[in-house]
Amino acid sequence: MAPRNQSGGLLRYVVIGGVLSIGILLFLLDVVAKLHSSSETSMSQPHLAGAPVLAAPGVSPQSPSLRRAAKLREMITIDEILGSEWSGMKNSGEDRTSGPFPNLGGSVSKVKFTYPEIIPEVDLKTYPPVESLLDIIHRWNPDESDNIPNPFHEKLQMFNYSDLEQRKMAEKYRNAELPFKIFGIPEIENVVEKWNDEYLEKKLHSPAVNFKVEKSTDNHFMYNVRRNYKGNLGEWQPPTKDAKGMDFNEWVEKAHKGDTEGIDPDEPHFYLTTGVQAGRLVAANKRLKQFISSDLGVFSTTKNNFFITAVDANKGIQCRFGMKGVIAEAHYDGGRNMVAMLKGAKRYILTPPSECKKLSLIKDKQHPSYRHSVTDWSNPEEASEDGFHDAMAIDTILHEGEVLYIPSYWIHYIASLDYSIQCNSRSGSPPNQEGGDHIHKCMSGPNSEKDIKVVKRYMSRERKSFADSAAKS
């Protein structure tokens, strides 16, 4: 048996060793907890001068270029980013913030964005959170592309396509025919990186590609089919002209100049359009293949996917190259519409089909601008006179790398905030024809006195614009 004092010393060593072991264990647990907490914090709050992070939908840089820009910026806290404005948002539910996005160009590069919390299940009673269309255009006049509300509060649901759970949520919204946005799409991000001016100049001037440039006397572009109109809506003069002979290099020079020097709404604007017909999306013949369908495989698929839900009804791919300030007048399309923003940013004002009667859409099918609104949305007085205070809508900004889902028959009004490229593809109406009944009721019947009045007012405005432009030149 060990002497009493020897056993007591041994006991002390055992106790000390146990205490040290427990201390080390607690220390390690604390380190792990802090690392975990740090990881969660970095995934829920933007650290890079307001730069977006991956965890929160819609708060992630939507392209590798955005990520690189974010990494180059000094790390500061979210309170320093937003100051007193942030303290008011912390408890409002709009606590996920991103931006600014310095590589987008223009005023949107300085804007901070807040995003709503994810709603996993569709709630038709509360989503989307629409408001008065008149309030929207009063708050931010569409002609004032630089006057973006800051911070800009996004209200559409936003999902990370690379997260399978969030993709399933997005599918629920798509199947319910409700608008939403997605990001984190590798193929779209690759196109954002790939489609620089040099690449586009080479591809757009290849024999397999056709494009055209339209000119407007101001920043408003009304879609129209070149045909004679003999209806009772009055004489119709095409609101835009073909800028014959203008190539991509000349167009993009004007677009860059608009970004750097600015351009007034009443100055001439130019709009470049191109695309791929449905029959040539997956052409085997190399002479018929186009870079648009090759690069945008998510749209030129031979099998139904998240973006194209009915391949047989695919309308092809349409691409729009917009200068700063260019506005595409409000209209609806009869197909599920996926819109990919590949450069810059655009503003979309969306209104449900139920609001059709309040938006002054041309309902004469023989008219060159059938299903388009002739109310000037950038003129609040005219919009108020036409009943826009009763119309409900939702406002959103689509960044490069993001995709917006516009449900079939939803009316949309589009404003380019800088040099932008957007390509979209439509793939047939929804199985249950959601929204179709509202549109049918709205667009049926003979032209009313109001229909005739607003179209004639529009043409009077266009003739004056043409005359003023001719006088300036």
Side-chain angles (χ1 to χ4, degrees):
M1 176 180 280
R4 183 181 182 89
N5 59 345
Q6 186 176 352
S7 63
L10 182 61
L11 180 61
R12 280 197 299 274
Y13 285 123
V14 171
V15 172
I16 292 172
V19 171
L20 288 174
S21 297
I22 293 172
I24 293 171
L25 180 60
L26 291 173
F27 172 76
L28 291 174
L29 289 173
D30 184 57
V31 169
V32 170
K34 286 182 177 178
L35 286 173
H36 180 67
S37 174
S38 174
S39 173
E40 285 188 335
T41 301
S42 67
M43 293 172 67
S44 61
Q45 292 183 347
H47 286 282
L48 303 175
V53 288
L54 289 175
V59 191
S60 168
Q62 282 72 30
S63 68
S65 57
L66 280 176
R67 281 193 282 273
R68 285 198 295 273
K71 289 178 181 177
L72 291 174
R73 295 156 69 192
E74 182 182 1
M75 291 180 66
I76 60 176
T77 67
I78 191 67
D79 290 310
E80 291 174 312
I81 297 165
L82 291 181
S84 59
E85 292 176 330
W86 171 246
S87 61
M89 292 180 202
K90 282 182 178 178
N91 299 318
S92 68
E94 294 176 329
D95 59 352
R96 294 185 296 110
T97 307
S98 72
F101 299 93
N103 68 324
L104 285 181
S107 295
V108 73
S109 67
K110 305 177 181 67
V111 175
K112 305 176 184 74
F113 292 80
T114 67
Y115 296 87
E117 293 301 317
I118 291 179
I119 305 173
E121 299 295 332
V122 175
D123 186 348
L124 296 175
K125 294 181 179 180
T126 60
Y127 186 86
V130 293
E131 61 179 311
S132 164
L133 175 55
L134 196 60
D135 287 347
I136 288 175
I137 61 179
H138 265 299
R139 182 167 61 242
W140 178 16
N141 189 298
D143 273 349
E144 300 173 1
S145 59
D146 286 335
N147 193 27
I148 307 171
N150 192 4
F152 186 87
H153 301 302
E154 288 285 358
K155 295 180 180 179
L156 285 181
Q157 284 288 289
M158 207 154 183
F159 302 103
N160 184 347
Y161 181 80
S162 295
D163 183 317
L164 293 180
E165 289 301 315
Q166 292 189 29
R167 191 187 305 179
K168 290 177 182 177
M169 296 175 196
E171 286 179 357
K172 294 178 182 178
Y173 281 77
R174 183 201 64 195
N175 294 341
E177 288 304 304
L178 294 171
F180 61 88
K181 296 196 289 187
I182 51 174
F183 69 100
I185 309 156
E187 190 163 351
I188 297 298
E189 292 186 347
N190 290 338
V191 176
V192 170
E193 287 289 290
K194 191 176 186 179
W195 282 23
N196 55 39
D197 291 350
E198 292 74 23
Y199 178 80
L200 291 170
E201 190 276 332
K202 178 182 177 181
K203 294 297 184 180
L204 284 170
H205 290 134
S206 71
V209 178
N210 294 315
F211 68 86
K212 70 174 182 178
V213 179
E214 292 181 88
K215 177 184 177 181
S216 175
T217 55
D218 55 24
N219 64 323
H220 289 253
F221 283 75
M222 170 72 80
Y223 171 84
N224 66 103
V225 178
R226 297 294 197 270
R227 64 183 175 213
N228 293 327
Y229 175 69
K230 298 180 180 179
N232 67 345
L233 291 178
E235 181 184 354
W236 183 258
Q237 182 176 355
T240 62
K241 296 181 179 180
D242 290 341
K244 296 180 179 178
M246 182 177 289
D247 63 11
F248 174 74
N249 290 333
E250 186 178 354
W251 179 88
V252 82
E253 182 180 351
K254 291 181 179 294
H256 285 307
K257 185 177 180 181
D259 282 352
T260 56
E261 299 180 13
I263 181 169
D264 290 334
D266 59 355
E267 292 183 48
H269 284 64
F270 299 84
Y271 198 33
L272 188 152
T273 60
T274 185
V276 186
Q277 296 174 350
R280 298 176 66 179
L281 284 176
V282 291
N285 190 325
K286 289 184 178 180
R287 291 186 297 105
L288 296 179
K289 274 195 170 182
Q290 296 190 16
F291 78 101
I292 295 172
S293 54
S294 297
D295 290 349
L296 291 170
V298 294
F299 289 162
S300 56
T301 177
T302 57
K303 297 180 179 179
N304 292 348
N305 61 20
F306 178 90
F307 304 93
I308 304 300
T309 56
V311 169
D312 292 343
N314 193 338
K315 299 295 185 181
I317 302 173
Q318 297 79 40
C319 295
R320 310 283 187 258
F321 291 59
M323 291 176 60
K324 179 184 180 67
V326 162
I327 288 174
E329 302 290 8
H331 63 282
Y332 70 85
D333 296 302
R336 296 172 138 187
N337 196 358
M338 289 285 182
V339 183
M341 186 58 59
L342 305 176
K343 182 175 181 62
K346 281 187 174 182
R347 178 191 187 187
Y348 283 77
I349 303 177
L350 309 176
T351 62
S354 59
E355 308 305 286
C356 173
K357 285 189 175 182
K358 307 167 186 175
L359 301 177
S360 304
L361 300 185
I362 296 176
K363 62 184 183 181
D364 187 338
K365 290 185 178 181
Q366 302 305 313
H367 196 279
S369 294
Y370 168 64
R371 68 188 167 79
H372 285 68
S373 173
V374 289
T375 297
D376 182 358
W377 290 32
S378 60
N379 183 338
E381 290 184 7
E382 183 174 303
S384 178
E385 179 183 330
D386 290 352
F388 276 29
H389 55 280
D390 288 331
M392 305 304 288
I394 190 166
D395 203 4
T396 188
I397 293 176
L398 189 64
H399 299 161
E400 63 180 41
E402 296 177 348
V403 172
L404 168 66
Y405 179 59
I406 303 177
S408 190
Y409 303 118
W410 277 62
I411 296 98
H412 42 290
Y413 178 92
I414 313 164
S416 184
L417 302 181
D418 51 15
Y419 165 24
S420 62
I421 303 174
Q422 156 249 307
C423 291
N424 68 287
S425 190
R426 291 181 281 121
S427 58
S429 301
N432 297 321
Q433 294 293 315
E434 288 91 341
D437 56 340
H438 292 292
I439 294 297
H440 178 72
K441 292 176 183 178
C442 168
M443 303 298 283
S444 298
N447 296 315
S448 66
E449 290 185 8
K450 180 186 176 184
D451 294 332
I452 298 171
K453 175 184 175 183
V454 295
V455 172
K456 288 184 175 180
R457 181 188 63 195
Y458 172 83
M459 274 316 305
S460 175
R461 184 170 65 240
E462 286 299 300
R463 281 192 288 270
K464 182 178 185 304
S465 180
F466 281 127
D468 291 344
S469 179
K472 289 179 183 178
S473 61

